[in-house]
Amino acid sequence: MDAKLLWPVAGLAFGTALGFAGAFGGFGTFVIVLLLGVVGLLAGRAISGELDVGDMMSAFAGKGTAGRGAQGRGER
């Protein structure tokens, strides 16, 4: 299957799963399916090498350089 065709089909399948979860399971089930989908996306990107888990964890712990300027010193 062509890579350009894969992601829209995957998005359609995920959207359909969220729709069924919301329609038949309620809002709580919708949120659970959404969170598990995000976890699956992050795991897939980490396995394929597109996501560096160490950088992501340090950013969440406040040790990353995101939003701190080019040198990462926290100056504004």
Side-chain angles (χ1 to χ4, degrees):
M1 183 176 257
D2 187 20
K4 289 183 180 181
L5 182 63
L6 177 67
W7 289 113
V9 171
L12 175 64
F14 187 65
T16 302
L18 286 175
F20 279 121
F24 297 113
F27 183 72
T29 307
F30 173 82
V31 172
I32 290 171
V33 171
L34 180 63
L35 290 176
L36 290 175
V38 170
V39 168
L41 174 69
L42 293 175
R45 287 187 172 230
I47 290 170
S48 69
E50 296 177 22
L51 178 69
D52 187 1
V53 178
D55 285 346
M56 187 176 72
M57 291 302 193
S58 65
F60 281 125
K63 299 175 185 173
T65 59
R68 294 187 183 174
Q71 288 77 26
R73 289 177 281 186
E75 297 176 4
R76 294 185 186 230

